[in-house]
């Protein structure tokens, strides 16, 4: 616990003066009523001297201890506090907190000097005072404190805040004026707990970044103290106001209290390797001691949760509302979970016929939902209408064509699945004792027979058969392929490789890198809100019997599938875009080609746009890293940085700690590669696989999430085969998702594909920590300018009629890696972080 330090002076005179005012005083600077007290002895002869007063008490009276400090100046600090929407702060609370505001006892501010006293080598006295409530400006409330500053105080190193309210408050920034080098602005953007929840003061460092070896002497202990606080002790259930980062396995996705089979294996460990999640400390389930019990909320460190403004405007409450209100509402309407669509007009009616929901308990909740799932009736608030996906608006029949099926593998929602065929026939990697011979029955001769001798199998072009029965079998086979790819996309390309694998980076960064570390501040915007959305996913998306299990092809084995993929496929070094393309056979190193890579498929929109974005990100990281690490030895001697990388490898991704492919961290170039990879995953990779979901999969025949029936040729009865021959369209409809599955997925994809009105896109707004450093400020301007150029490059490519995979009649342009976007479902925009 950080305790208030009393100021001392090496040259001071001290006097105990009786003081009969009954109101206790704890100001380290002058309270007005002390200065007005005639009994207080003030040295009036020395204009450059000022007296400090500290109140103490005996049984019969109160005394003021005064001391004289040479050449002090007056100063002022303003604390900007955000007035919250939900009433956890000032506008909607009364009682004791309001009384505290009235009497100027809301926040206790302690200013810490950057350097130790050069003579004594101990901390200089803290400048301290209570902040009084001031103006309300633009939804914020100002708290102001005045104090005296000793001449030898020097620069500000940190500010400590004690919140006297009984509610936590969101502090945006602190502006301090009166010090030697002018105004000091400290960016906070953080929740400050009440002293009644935790007596420890919150620590905020200045905006200037320091490597550990360069830390000003006056705040070295605070730097260490803050990291110890954030790590916690690994015990107990976490509380909502805490900011503790620790690791745990995925033992919370089961539903042991539900009616159906809800037990799921623990992910993480030798049998089912997996990245680690944030520890919540909830007690173990009585039914399964390996699993964590459920509770009313899923803990994430306080600053990782959605801000209330963001929650109410978009993401937090909207995703919660859809998962906990719309989906159950749909389930109550569609009483038969296996009921399919009788014909294609019934599918089309989802987008222009009212879907009636039971009355929702909260009107405000519905108002959040209908911003995204459009309501068509202002008079009836229980009617929803799904918007028509852009893909369907452009060409209603595109999903039926084989050329579009092929185009979407490289320009659609999941560009990470396609690989170059290196051997023929294809061989499965599954256990032959369980799944049979690994060699595929699709031989070279069979394919060449089917394509009628027009080309050889080496030319890699696949065509359907010419006769009617074969054409319908081909269409149903495509539905099966798409259903499997949808499961792989959602569970591996999307969830595992972005959301899940990023969480250990966030935890390690907060546990091992100080908030004043330059690499922490570089990564900070790329981690915003990811842990919150991951917690929500564990509650209602990837959990037992959740949306993924109930509506995607792997079913109850969905998370086990992602674990197997992590075990067999995930490698940190191949999360970098160039290495990913090379590993899939879709690029080769070529020093004469743009960005040093020659693409196997020239018209591969994801790769060609992605390499430009990758290069821009890498150049930004290079300029940043080289500024703070001009010598190689600074990397090796940075104990926080080395501990960070070690913890990512050995704890956060500990199930793969012995793999030989982990990059070393010995040089600035090593760090540039590691950081660029992390930033790419949180920005470009996630944008490419997330924000096109509604556009491409909102009309589910184009991308079904599950195949509910087997192929008609797989051991059919005579009656089943006859039905297929007479009504092949019905066979395709039976293969598609049920009405309940389809509507649930559409509702969720609508939310996941939306950009919040306050979305933060790469290169748009400079972080205050970067802006205050001139070299970094210039580098950011270059970074931002290059991203604007990328917008033009992508527009030009989409207008090029020679690029058939992004241009043509009814063809969706490829815009998923355009950096900027307006709010809503746009199919473009690259946010800094995985925030939805």
């Amino acid at each position: 616990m950080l305790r208030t330090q009393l100021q001392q002076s090496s040259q001071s005179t001290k006097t105990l003066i009786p003081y009969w005012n009954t109101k206790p005083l704890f100001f380290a600077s002058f309270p007005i009523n002390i200065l007005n007290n005639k009994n207080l002895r003030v040295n009036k002869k020395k204009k450059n001297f000022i007296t400090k007063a500290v109140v103490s008490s005996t049984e019969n009276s109160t005394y003021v201890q005064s001391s004289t400090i040479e050449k002090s100046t007056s100063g002022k600090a303003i604390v900007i506090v955000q007035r919250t929407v939900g009433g956890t702060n000032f506008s909607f609370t009364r009682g004791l907190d309001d009384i505290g505001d009235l009497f100027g006892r809301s926040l206790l501010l302690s200013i810490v000097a950057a350097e130790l006293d050069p003579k004594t080598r101990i901390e200089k006295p803290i400048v301290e005072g209570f902040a009084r409530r001031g103006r309300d400006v633009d939804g914020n409330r100002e708290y102001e404190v005045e104090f005296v500053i000793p001449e030898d105080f020097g620069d500000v190193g940190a500010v400590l805040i004690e919140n006297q309210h009984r509610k936590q408050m969101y502090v945006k920034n602190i502006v301090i004026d009166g010090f030697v080098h002018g105004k000091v602005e400290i960016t906070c953007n953080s929740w400050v707990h009440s002293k009644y929840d935790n007596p420890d003061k919150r620590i905020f460092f200045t905006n200037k970044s320091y490597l550990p070896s360069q830390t000003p002497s006056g705040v070295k202990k605070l730097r260490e103290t803050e990291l110890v606080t954030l790590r916690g002790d690994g015990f107990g259930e976490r509380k909502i106001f805490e900011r503790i980062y620790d690791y745990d396995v995925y033992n919370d996705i089961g539903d042991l209290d539900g009616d159906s089979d809800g037990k799921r294996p623990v992910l993480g460990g030798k049998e089912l390797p997996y990245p680690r999640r944030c520890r919540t400390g909830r007690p173990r389930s009585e039914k399964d001691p390996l699993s964590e019990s459920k509770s009313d909320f899923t803990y994430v460190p306080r600053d990782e949760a959605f801000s209330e403004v963001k929650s109410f405007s978009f993401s937090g409450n909207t995703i919660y509302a859809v998962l906990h209100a719309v989906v159950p509402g749909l389930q109550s309407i569609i009483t038969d979970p296996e009921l399919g669509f009788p014909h294609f007009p019934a599918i089309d009616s989802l987008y222009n016929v009212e879907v009636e929901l039971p009355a929702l308990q909260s009107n405000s909740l519905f108002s959040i939902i209908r911003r995204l799932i459009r309501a068509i009736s202002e008079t009836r608030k229980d009617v929803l209408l799904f918007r028509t996906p852009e893909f369907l608006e452009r060409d209603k029949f595109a999903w039926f064509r084989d050329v579009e099926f092929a185009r979407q593998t490289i320009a659609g929602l999941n560009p990470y699945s396609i690989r170059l065929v290196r051997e023929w026939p294809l061989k499965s990697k599954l256990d032959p004792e369980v799944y049979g011979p690994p060699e595929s029955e699709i031989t070279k001769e069979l394919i060449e027979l089917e394509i009628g001798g027009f080309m050889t199998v080496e030319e890699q072009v696949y065509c359907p058969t010419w006769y009617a029965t074969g054409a319908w079998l081909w269409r149903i086979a495509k539905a099966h392929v798409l259903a499997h790819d949808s499961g792989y996309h959602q569970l591996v390309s999307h969830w595992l490789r972005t959301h899940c694998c990023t969480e250990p980076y966030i935890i390690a960064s907060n546990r091992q890198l100080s908030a004043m570390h330059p690499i922490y501040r570089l990564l900070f915007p790329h981690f915003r809100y990811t842990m919150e959305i991951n917690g929500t996913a564990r509650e209602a998306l990837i959990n037992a019997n959740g949306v993924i299990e109930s509506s995607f092809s792997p079913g109850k084995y969905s998370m086990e599938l992602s674990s197997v993929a992590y075990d067999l496929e995930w490698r940190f070094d191949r999360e970098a875009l160039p290495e990913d393309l090379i590993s899939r056979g879709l690029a080769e190193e070529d020093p004469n080609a743009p960005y040093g890579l020659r693409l196997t498929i020239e018209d591969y929109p994801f790769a060609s746009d992605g390499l430009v974005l990758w290069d821009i990100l890498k150049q930004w990281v290079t300029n940043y890293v080289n500024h703070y690490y001009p010598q190689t030895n600074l990397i090796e001697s940075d104990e926080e940085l080395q501990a960070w990388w070690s913890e990512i490898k050995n704890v956060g991704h500990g199930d793969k700690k012995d793999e030989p492919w982990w990059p070393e961290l010995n040089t600035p170039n090593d760090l540039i590669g590691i950081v660029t990879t992390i930033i790419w995953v949180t920005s470009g990779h996630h944008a490419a696989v997330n924000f096109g979901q509604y556009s491409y999969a909102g009309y589910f025949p184009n991308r079904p999430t599950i195949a509910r029936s087997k192929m008609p040729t797989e051991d059919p009865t005579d009656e089943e085969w006859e039905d297929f021959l007479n009504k092949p369209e019905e066979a395709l409809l039976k293969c598609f998702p049920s009405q309940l599955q389809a509507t649930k997925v559409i509702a969720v994809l609508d939310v996941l594909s939306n950009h919040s009105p306050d979305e933060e896109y790469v290169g748009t707004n400079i972080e205050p920590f970067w802006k205050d450093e001139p070299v970094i400020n210039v580098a950011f301007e270059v970074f931002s300018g290059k991203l604007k150029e990328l917008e033009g490059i992508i527009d030009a490519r989409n207008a090029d009629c020679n690029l058939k995979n992004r241009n043509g009649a009814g063809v969706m342009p490829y815009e998923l890696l355009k950096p900027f976007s307006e709010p809503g479902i746009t199919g473009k925009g690259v946010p800094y972080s995985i925030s939805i």
Side-chain angles (χ1 to χ4, degrees):
M1 174 177 172
L2 299 170
R3 299 203 178 270
T4 303
Q5 300 181 36
L6 294 178
Q7 293 185 345
Q8 299 292 334
S9 173
S10 58
Q11 298 178 352
S12 62
T13 58
K14 300 178 181 178
T15 308
L16 286 180
I17 307 169
Y19 181 61
W20 294 274
N21 191 327
T22 58
K23 185 168 65 175
L25 298 168
F26 301 93
F27 292 97
S29 57
F30 277 128
I32 294 175
N33 52 3
I34 290 182
L35 292 176
N36 291 337
N37 193 310
K38 296 179 181 179
N39 294 316
L40 183 61
R41 299 177 184 174
V42 180
N43 191 328
K44 298 181 180 180
K45 295 181 180 180
K46 299 179 180 180
K47 296 183 180 179
N48 290 331
F49 283 64
I50 196 164
T51 301
K52 173 187 73 173
V54 178
V55 175
S56 58
S57 299
T58 65
E59 184 177 355
N60 298 318
S61 61
T62 302
Y63 289 90
V64 178
Q65 179 178 321
S66 67
S67 61
T68 305
I69 304 172
E70 288 194 33
K71 297 183 181 178
S72 297
T73 59
S74 61
K76 181 174 72 173
I78 297 177
V79 183
I80 310 298
V81 175
Q82 182 171 285
R83 297 176 64 186
T84 63
V85 177
T88 56
N89 276 9
F90 320 108
S91 299
F92 306 99
T93 58
R94 293 292 184 269
L96 294 175
D97 289 348
D98 284 343
I99 295 173
D101 278 356
L102 182 64
F103 286 95
R105 299 182 58 82
S106 305
L107 295 170
L108 177 61
L109 221 63
S110 305
I111 302 176
V112 181
E115 301 291 347
L116 297 175
D117 187 301
K119 295 179 180 179
T120 64
R121 301 307 299 166
I122 62 174
E123 290 86 356
K124 294 179 181 178
I126 287 177
V127 174
E128 191 169 72
F130 278 102
R132 293 179 175 273
R133 190 175 78 182
R135 302 179 303 163
D136 288 348
V137 181
D138 297 329
N140 301 316
R141 175 158 291 170
E142 294 183 353
Y143 284 78
E144 184 175 317
V145 57
E146 294 183 354
F147 42 76
V148 292
I149 310 166
E151 183 187 49
D152 61 352
F153 188 87
D155 291 331
V156 175
V159 172
L160 314 181
I161 293 183
E162 182 178 84
N163 176 12
Q164 304 281 318
H165 280 197
R166 284 159 177 77
K167 298 286 187 180
Q168 56 192 328
M169 58 175 64
Y170 189 80
V171 178
K172 298 182 71 173
N173 62 339
I174 304 167
V175 181
I176 307 171
D177 202 2
F179 284 86
V180 177
H181 294 109
K183 188 175 294 185
V184 178
E185 184 165 348
I186 298 177
T187 303
C188 304
N189 290 326
S190 179
W191 289 95
V192 176
H193 58 261
S194 165
K195 74 171 186 178
Y196 300 100
D197 289 328
N198 180 358
D200 294 351
K201 295 179 181 178
R202 274 299 310 277
I203 304 170
F204 292 104
F205 299 106
T206 62
N207 287 0
K208 186 171 178 59
S209 300
Y210 296 97
L211 300 181
S213 61
Q214 300 164 347
T215 309
S217 59
V219 293
K220 277 188 176 181
K221 288 184 180 178
L222 289 180
R223 182 171 186 151
E224 296 166 1
T225 298
E226 177 74 346
L227 286 174
V228 170
T229 298
L230 291 169
R231 292 171 194 148
D233 59 8
F235 295 98
E237 184 172 358
R238 299 275 65 87
K239 300 177 178 62
I240 192 171
F241 61 83
E242 291 180 323
R243 299 164 52 246
I244 293 176
Y245 296 78
D246 203 354
Y247 299 95
D248 207 344
V249 293
Y250 277 72
N251 62 354
D252 63 340
I253 55 177
D255 181 17
L256 298 172
D257 299 324
D259 297 332
S260 57
D261 174 27
K263 184 174 181 179
R264 296 294 181 268
V266 174
L267 303 183
K270 187 175 181 180
E271 292 187 8
L272 290 171
Y274 218 57
R276 297 302 187 259
R277 64 170 176 90
C278 182
R279 178 185 177 276
T280 67
R282 291 182 293 199
R284 297 300 175 94
S285 168
E286 294 181 359
K287 295 182 179 179
D288 178 13
L290 295 178
S291 297
E292 197 172 76
S293 62
K294 300 295 183 182
S295 65
D296 294 337
F297 85 106
T298 297
Y299 167 82
V300 294
R302 189 63 185 96
D303 286 338
E304 302 297 335
F306 288 125
S307 68
E308 286 203 358
V309 171
K310 186 176 179 70
S311 293
F312 274 77
S313 66
F314 178 67
S315 302
N317 280 4
T318 304
I319 186 66
Y320 186 90
V322 169
L323 294 176
H324 295 275
V326 174
V327 170
L330 292 170
Q331 290 171 332
S332 68
I333 300 168
I334 306 171
T335 55
D336 181 0
E338 299 300 320
L339 181 64
F341 289 89
H343 40 67
F344 278 93
I347 297 174
D348 296 340
S349 70
L350 287 173
Y351 308 98
N352 54 28
V353 173
E354 298 176 359
V355 177
E356 193 167 329
L357 288 177
L360 299 178
Q361 294 180 352
S362 168
N363 289 333
S364 62
L365 194 63
F366 180 83
S367 68
I368 296 165
I369 300 169
R370 69 177 186 155
R371 267 199 291 263
L372 304 176
I373 306 174
R374 189 177 54 204
I376 62 166
S377 173
E378 291 300 325
T379 57
R380 296 183 58 201
K381 293 188 175 181
D382 55 354
V383 175
L384 302 178
L385 179 71
F386 294 116
R387 71 193 80 199
T388 303
E390 183 184 359
F391 172 81
L392 190 62
E393 284 185 333
R394 284 179 173 269
D395 187 343
K396 184 177 180 179
F397 302 104
W399 71 275
F400 215 62
R401 293 194 293 271
D402 297 323
V403 66
E404 180 63 17
F405 170 78
R407 186 191 76 85
Q408 288 186 31
T409 61
I410 57 176
L413 186 55
N414 187 24
Y416 277 97
S417 287
I418 187 171
R419 296 175 179 269
L420 182 68
V421 176
R422 300 178 187 270
E423 60 177 354
W424 199 269
L426 298 173
K427 290 184 179 180
S428 170
K429 296 181 180 179
L430 297 174
D431 186 352
E433 293 185 4
V434 178
Y435 297 97
E439 291 79 15
S440 171
E441 294 183 0
I442 304 175
T443 63
K444 173 180 178 179
E445 292 74 20
L446 179 61
I447 289 180
E448 289 181 345
L449 176 65
E450 290 296 329
I451 60 180
F454 287 105
M455 57 198 70
T456 65
V457 71
E458 285 77 11
E459 298 176 79
Q460 294 302 313
V461 176
Y462 299 87
C463 299
T465 57
W466 298 97
Y467 61 100
T469 300
W472 276 103
L473 288 173
W474 172 259
R475 290 175 186 130
I476 297 173
K478 284 197 298 182
H480 277 260
V481 169
L482 288 168
H484 288 299
D485 190 58
S486 291
Y488 185 89
H489 159 258
Q490 203 63 265
L491 290 162
V492 180
S493 300
H494 184 197
W495 163 256
L496 173 68
R497 292 181 64 180
T498 64
H499 288 261
C500 183
C501 285
T502 295
E503 189 151 340
Y505 309 149
I506 302 172
I507 299 172
S509 297
N510 283 276
R511 286 169 54 88
Q512 301 299 340
L513 298 178
S514 167
M516 66 167 64
H517 197 291
I519 299 303
Y520 176 90
R521 287 174 167 175
L522 175 60
L523 291 172
F524 175 76
H526 296 281
F527 294 157
R528 195 174 282 129
Y529 303 137
T530 301
M531 292 179 72
E532 169 81 347
I533 197 64
N534 286 2
T536 301
R538 298 200 308 274
E539 275 190 355
L541 277 175
I542 63 171
N543 61 310
N545 305 310
V547 173
I548 299 295
E549 282 196 6
S550 63
S551 304
F552 282 75
S553 54
K556 65 180 292 185
Y557 303 102
S558 292
M559 292 302 286
E560 287 184 66
L561 170 68
S562 69
S563 171
V564 172
Y566 178 70
D567 185 28
L568 298 178
E569 296 183 354
W570 189 85
R571 293 177 47 160
F572 181 87
D573 58 333
R574 291 182 179 173
E575 292 304 288
L577 178 61
E579 283 69 23
D580 168 74
L581 295 171
I582 292 170
S583 70
R584 292 190 282 124
L586 295 175
E588 294 181 352
E589 292 186 8
D590 183 350
N592 298 317
Y595 314 109
L597 288 182
R598 177 171 54 82
L599 295 178
T600 305
I601 304 171
E602 184 178 349
D603 187 10
Y604 185 5
F606 162 72
S608 55
D609 294 357
L611 285 173
V612 183
L613 178 57
W614 168 271
D615 187 69
I616 294 170
L617 292 171
K618 186 175 182 179
Q619 190 57 55
W620 156 240
V621 173
T622 299
N623 292 335
Y624 190 99
V625 168
N626 286 340
H627 174 69
Y628 286 104
Y629 294 93
Q631 292 92 34
T632 297
N633 68 312
L634 291 174
I635 295 286
E636 296 177 337
S637 64
D638 187 337
E639 63 268 22
E640 287 184 7
L641 189 70
Q642 294 297 331
W644 168 75
W645 184 233
S646 176
E647 187 165 291
I648 287 174
K649 294 186 297 181
N650 295 308
V651 184
H653 286 278
D655 293 341
K656 286 181 168 282
K657 63 182 179 181
D658 297 323
E659 297 288 355
W661 39 255
W662 283 105
E664 297 291 330
L665 181 51
N666 299 319
T667 68
N669 282 339
D670 294 340
L671 180 58
I672 289 166
I674 290 168
V675 171
T676 305
T677 298
I678 292 174
I679 287 177
W680 163 258
V681 168
T682 64
S683 56
H685 181 153
H686 181 257
V689 298
N690 182 72
F691 292 106
Q693 290 193 86
Y694 193 80
S695 297
Y696 279 109
Y699 183 68
F700 69 86
N702 180 62
R703 196 165 178 80
T705 59
I706 193 169
R708 294 189 300 136
S709 62
K710 61 186 180 181
M711 287 295 295
T713 53
E714 292 184 272
D715 301 320
T717 64
D718 291 342
E719 183 180 358
E720 288 172 340
W721 182 250
E722 190 68 21
D723 287 343
F724 165 68
L725 292 177
N726 291 331
K727 295 182 178 179
E729 180 181 315
E730 286 189 4
L732 180 59
L733 288 167
K734 288 179 181 179
C735 183
F736 281 158
S738 69
Q739 291 188 28
L740 179 59
Q741 289 169 332
T743 48
K744 281 199 299 186
V745 170
I746 293 171
V748 172
L749 294 186
D750 187 304
V751 176
L752 297 181
S753 303
N754 256 278
H755 284 299
S756 161
D758 60 351
E759 191 79 87
E760 298 177 17
Y761 301 96
V762 289
T764 303
N765 298 318
I766 187 169
E767 292 288 311
F769 317 111
W770 307 341
K771 188 176 182 180
D772 289 353
E773 192 69 36
V775 173
I776 303 303
N777 197 353
V778 171
F780 181 84
E781 290 302 318
V782 174
F783 173 53
S784 182
K786 291 290 184 182
L787 290 168
K788 292 181 176 69
E789 291 177 10
L790 177 56
E791 290 261 317
I793 291 172
I794 293 176
D795 286 340
R797 288 173 173 174
N798 286 331
D800 188 345
C801 60
N802 295 311
L803 301 176
K804 307 298 183 185
N805 289 324
R806 61 197 308 161
N807 179 282
V811 173
M812 288 264 292
Y814 191 81
E815 298 183 314
L816 289 172
L817 294 178
K818 289 189 73 172
F820 314 118
S821 174
E822 59 275 8
I825 295 177
T826 64
K828 60 184 177 183
V830 181
Y832 275 112
S833 65
I834 305 166
S835 60
I836 189 63

